């Protein structure tokens, strides 16, 4: 019996430590690296070696599936991000990095308060230090996630390309449970495509707050041309809803209607709101019931950063607080 238990314990320990080099999709990963990023035979051998070190961490999948912006009410989610401490710390951050924020605003047209608010929601202005190895996060999510494996698998491909091109050690890079990196929390594909060397030190380093500032501004203007930031335009408008909502699309990722069309469906904003502006209906679930808003193009620009309404509204309201104080 003791022998059986010892063997079982050893087997479970081996499985827990097993890497991903023997996974059925490992060969597909190597093929994509060769075809899309020109990995040589030597580089593919390096990737195989890294996959042997990647650890399955099932709780990361649970964290992704139960993310706060998916599971909390707006009342509870807002309490996490739009706080007195986050506003005060944001003001201090904006004073410290006023030159970089001003330059990013001038270059990309994104207000400094919005850039700061994204950093405040993502990592509390760079203070929060992620501890999960990105290699483990993306391998677990990319190979084992039950519904989003293709997305994370692609990000794993991009991660290896990023590590090769930036000379990162895959076993040392830390990030979120989803594999997002740095103060700006970019996924590998966005790191490769949109991160900028904003402090001109010869490195594109999203753990550096100056680079993060410039990269966020670039992201909001270049990630999706259909949802690029519109300088001088508001992000949201408060609304009332007074009709049957059967034909009203709520909390979409894009502005699929206009202000006038939403008004016809019963969702009305303040007087003077431009009728032909692209818009979307937003419903926030609070402790007191539904709170209605009209999302305008800049709100959906923020949603391109994280496609959750509560996230984008937290950024919007934190930015408004930073601007007004």
């Amino acid at each position: 019996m003791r022998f059986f238990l010892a063997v079982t314990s050893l087997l479970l320990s081996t499985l827990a430590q097993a890497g991903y080099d023997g996974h059925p999709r490992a060969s597909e990963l190597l093929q994509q690296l060769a075809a899309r990023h020109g990995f040589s035979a030597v580089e593919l051998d390096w990737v195989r070696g890294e996959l042997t070190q990647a650890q399955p961490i099932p709780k990361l999948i649970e964290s992704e599936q139960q993310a706060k912006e998916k599971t909390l009410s707006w009342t509870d989610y807002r309490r996490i991000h739009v706080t007195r401490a986050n506003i005060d710390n944001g003001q201090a951050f904006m004073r410290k990095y006023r030159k970089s924020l001003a330059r990013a605003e001038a270059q990309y047209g994104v207000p400094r308060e919005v850039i700061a608010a994204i950093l405040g929601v993502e990592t509390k202005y760079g203070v929060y230090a992620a501890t999960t190895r990105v290699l483990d996060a993306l391998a677990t999510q990319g190979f084992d996630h039950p519904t989003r494996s293709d997305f994370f698998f692609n990000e794993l491909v991009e991660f290896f390309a990023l590590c090769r091109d930036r000379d990162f050690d895959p076993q040392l890079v830390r990030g979120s449970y989803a594999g997002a990196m740095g103060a700006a929390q970019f996924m590998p594909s966005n790191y490769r495509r949109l991160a900028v060397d904003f402090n001109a030190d010869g490195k594109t380093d999203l753990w550096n707050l100056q680079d993060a500032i410039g990269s966020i501004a670039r992201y909001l203007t270049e990630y999706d041309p259909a949802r690029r930031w519109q300088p001088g335009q508001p992000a949201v408008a408060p609304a009332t809803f007074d009709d049957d909502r059967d034909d009203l699309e709520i909390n979409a990722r894009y502005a699929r209607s206009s202000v006038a069309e939403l008004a016809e469906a019963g969702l009305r904003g303040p007087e003077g709101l431009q009728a032909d502006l692209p818009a979307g209906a937003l419903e926030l679930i609070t402790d007191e019931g539904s709170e209605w808003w009209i999302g305008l193009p800049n709100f959906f620009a923020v949603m391109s950063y994280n496609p959750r309404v509560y996230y984008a509204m937290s950024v919007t309201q934190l930015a408004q607080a930073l601007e007004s104080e």
Side-chain angles (χ1 to χ4, degrees):
M1 184 65 175
R2 290 181 181 175
F3 174 76
F4 174 76
L5 291 175
V7 171
T8 301
S9 176
L10 178 61
L11 176 60
L12 292 174
S13 175
T14 301
L15 287 174
Q17 297 175 7
Y20 279 99
D21 56 309
H23 192 278
R25 293 191 73 185
S27 60
E28 180 185 350
L29 177 76
L30 299 174
Q31 290 169 4
Q32 290 202 22
L33 286 168
R36 291 164 50 187
H37 300 291
F39 271 53
S40 67
V42 171
E43 289 167 339
L44 293 177
D45 283 340
W46 165 69
V47 172
R48 289 188 188 94
E50 296 300 325
L51 288 176
T52 67
Q53 302 300 313
Q55 297 298 306
I57 308 178
K59 69 179 182 180
L60 299 180
I61 295 176
E62 296 176 16
S63 296
E64 192 280 332
Q65 293 176 321
Q66 298 171 12
K68 291 180 174 64
E69 59 265 34
K70 299 179 184 179
T71 57
L72 295 181
S73 69
W74 168 237
T75 303
D76 291 334
Y77 188 79
R78 187 181 190 278
R79 288 190 185 119
I80 298 172
H81 299 297
V82 190
T83 65
R84 185 70 260 165
N86 223 15
I87 295 168
D88 291 344
N89 291 336
Q91 290 289 340
F93 173 82
M94 290 177 65
R95 289 191 295 270
K96 182 175 181 179
Y97 291 95
R98 62 186 182 279
K99 292 183 180 179
S100 294
L101 288 164
R103 183 158 59 90
E105 183 172 349
Q107 182 171 340
Y108 294 103
V110 180
R112 64 199 72 190
E113 295 85 6
V114 173
I115 299 170
I118 287 178
L119 283 165
V121 171
E122 290 289 353
T123 57
K124 298 298 182 281
Y125 311 103
V127 171
Y128 171 75
T131 58
T132 301
R133 285 201 315 178
V134 171
L135 176 64
D136 297 335
L138 291 177
T140 298
Q141 307 276 17
F143 287 120
D144 296 334
H145 198 291
T147 59
R148 300 188 66 202
S149 62
D150 286 347
F151 169 78
F152 289 109
F153 184 87
N154 179 69
E155 292 299 335
L156 182 60
V157 172
E158 295 289 329
F159 177 64
F160 279 119
L162 176 72
C163 289
R164 180 196 64 178
D165 296 345
R166 298 294 206 288
D167 197 26
F168 291 166
D169 184 338
Q171 297 186 47
L172 298 181
V173 181
R174 297 294 190 269
S176 73
Y177 59 79
M181 295 173 286
Q185 290 290 277
F186 276 23
M187 296 298 287
S189 59
N190 292 324
Y191 199 132
R192 296 187 68 243
R193 185 165 74 93
L194 297 170
V196 296
D197 175 16
F198 208 58
N199 65 355
D201 67 351
K203 298 181 292 184
T204 305
D205 178 6
L206 289 183
W207 288 267
N208 175 280
L209 286 166
Q210 291 175 295
D211 284 3
I213 286 168
S215 298
I216 289 170
R218 184 185 183 193
Y219 187 109
L220 292 178
T221 56
E222 296 185 19
Y223 173 76
D224 180 358
R227 291 182 289 175
R228 65 179 293 119
W229 185 269
Q230 305 294 319
Q233 296 294 320
V236 295
T240 58
F241 186 64
D242 57 8
D243 205 344
D244 190 331
R245 58 192 256 184
D246 288 347
D247 297 327
L248 191 65
E249 184 178 15
I250 298 166
N251 294 350
R253 296 186 181 187
Y254 296 85
R256 302 186 190 279
S257 303
S258 67
V259 168
E261 289 169 339
L262 292 180
E264 290 176 5
L267 187 69
R268 294 179 173 81
E271 291 292 331
L273 193 61
Q274 187 177 326
D276 61 353
L277 272 178
L282 309 176
E283 182 183 17
L284 311 183
I285 306 301
T286 74
D287 291 346
E288 290 75 37
S290 294
E291 185 178 299
W292 291 95
W293 294 79
I294 294 174
L296 300 170
N298 284 342
F299 184 83
F300 295 97
V302 177
M303 279 193 74
S304 74
Y305 205 96
N306 181 318
R308 299 291 172 182
V309 166
Y310 290 179
Y311 171 90
M313 187 60 81
S314 289
V315 169
T316 298
Q317 292 193 0
L318 180 57
Q320 290 171 342
L322 293 174
E323 181 181 19
S324 65
E325 298 198 10

